[in-house]
Amino acid sequence: MKKGNTYTGYVEYVDFPNKAYVSAQVEEDGVKSVETAVVKNAIPGQTVSFMVNKKKHGKCEGRLLEVIEQADCESNERCPHFGLCGGCVYQTVSYDNQLKMKEKQVHKLLSSVIEGDFCFEGITGSPVSEEYRNKMEFTFGDEYKDGPLALGLHKRNSMYDIVSVLNCKIVDEDYRKILECVLEYAVQEKLKFHHRVTHEGYLRHLLVRKAVKTGQILVDIITTTEDDRKLNDLSEKLQKLELKGKLVGFLHTFNDSLADAVINQGTEVVYGRDYIEEELLGLTFKITPFSFFQTNSLGAEVLYSKVRDYVGLKKEDLDDNSKPVIFDLYSGTGTIAQILAPVAKKVIGVEIVPEAVEAAKINAKLNGLDNCYFIADDVLKALDNIEEKPDFIVLDPPRDGINPKALDKIIAYGVERMVYISCKPTSLIRDLEILQSRGYMVEKSCCVDMFPNTVHVETVCLLSKKP
Ligand code: SAH
């Protein structure tokens, strides 16, 4: 294959997260051969055309141009934004097949590092595969350079262009109505979006959170301070929307920073209050706009049930003396800590975002739990300052996995068993290699799909000390 040339080929398989291996007939100087290129976002079984845009050490990478023939596993209807929008990749694939694909990808990754036989319990799906998100962060921008104002998600492979996802299928109707209402207001008022390069403009992001169990909705518009308008008129429009859930708060957050991320430099409550409440496994959680909370509530119940199962402690088998001290590292709003509290003498959660830690403390109190403690700090530093020693450790790091120096300190405790929850299996296997070389083995593992239609998947591993 030659850089710049276009080829047609068949997708043999896809590695996590979206690396499709496409084999194509190539003819050069009258000689025919079959060569392979990696093309992102294609689906196993498809015939696609692609352009080779990178060639290094004989390996080719291509950009997907067109799906010429669909794969047999594609039977789902697509939303009008599919393909253009960077959110979903597997939307056309039936949910059963999506699960099979993710299961295979994770099994392959785990098998590449785990020594010996290990018990892989497969994947459990999300109870719902559409309209499942309890949070969405939309971005203001333009659909193309100098095009009309858009509010939605980034286009596939684009840093700048935004697709207005007015028909997005992974959120429910309330999100779609809110999105439309805010976009209409912005167009009417001729408001400008904040440009990532020139750093001019007012509108940045729109954060919507909706609790599945309680129906409570929180809307937060994030702008620069370029315009000093009060958003009471927008607030009234939002309050008049006919929603299935209930709008409990409308917030206005200011962000003048240069980074293209949702950053909180001060928040004003325009209407109502600044949190929603969600229920998971019989516990109530107060969620503020910027604390981490699993984005699929029903999926989170499945994930946390697995975690509880893997931790394997039963209240009836334990008396006060045999209950363990559990560390919940990377604890977010303290959900896992609180789910494990009944089988622990004490749970200590460590989380770097202070707002999430505050929420965790309030939540534990609300749930009547008096044995949960939360520390706002980097895990790497916090472990030096905790006097208590853990009997059991639960790890749920962000995508990059665990900082190697923090992992050293975690291993040094020498606990018998740990549960590692990972939202990125490629980082997980890097950490598993270290854990294995330092005396731990993977006893069992499984996947939970919290993100239907997208490439993401959660993996849970039970680790124990090698005999
Ligand atoms: N266990 C939680 C959150 C998991 S997401 C839940 O199930 O909801 C990972 C969390 O790690 C995020 O809340 C993130 O803010 C936090 N985090 C990221 N880096 C960290 C670090 N170095 N030290 C402590 N927490 C960190």
Side-chain angles (χ1 to χ4, degrees), residues 398-440:
R399 285 194 185 162
D400 290 343
I402 301 173
N403 170 312
K405 286 190 185 134
L407 191 54
D408 270 350
K409 293 180 187 174
I410 291 162
I411 293 169
Y413 284 119
V415 296
E416 280 302 316
R417 279 136 75 88
M418 295 193 242
V419 167
Y420 190 137
I421 305 141
S422 162
C423 54
K424 194 173 175 195
T426 39
S427 312
L428 168 70
I429 59 169
R430 185 201 65 207
D431 291 344
L432 284 183
E433 279 193 289
I434 299 172
L435 284 155
Q436 283 185 147
S437 72
R438 305 274 304 276
Y440 284 92

Side-chain angles (χ1 to χ4, degrees), residues 247-305:
L247 183 74
V248 296
F250 173 52
L251 315 178
H252 184 183
T253 291
F254 306 99
N255 175 13
D256 285 320
S257 78
L258 300 183
D260 183 41
V262 179
I263 293 171
N264 180 10
Q265 295 180 326
T267 295
E268 218 166 67
V269 179
V270 185
Y271 162 75
R273 57 174 209 230
D274 65 353
Y275 65 90
I276 53 169
E277 290 153 320
E278 181 63 302
E279 287 159 18
L280 295 183
L281 300 174
L283 296 171
T284 302
F285 297 98
K286 216 170 158 173
I287 312 168
T288 50
F290 300 104
S291 319
F292 179 90
F293 195 82
Q294 290 291 353
T295 52
N296 172 351
S297 297
L298 299 176
E301 289 192 313
V302 176
L303 178 72
Y304 293 149
S305 302

Side-chain angles (χ1 to χ4, degrees), residues 286-288 291 333 338 354-364:
K286 216 170 158 173
I287 312 168
T288 50
S291 319
T333 32
Q338 292 169 65
E355 188 184 306
V357 171
E358 278 320 301
K361 287 180 183 168
I362 294 169
N363 286 332

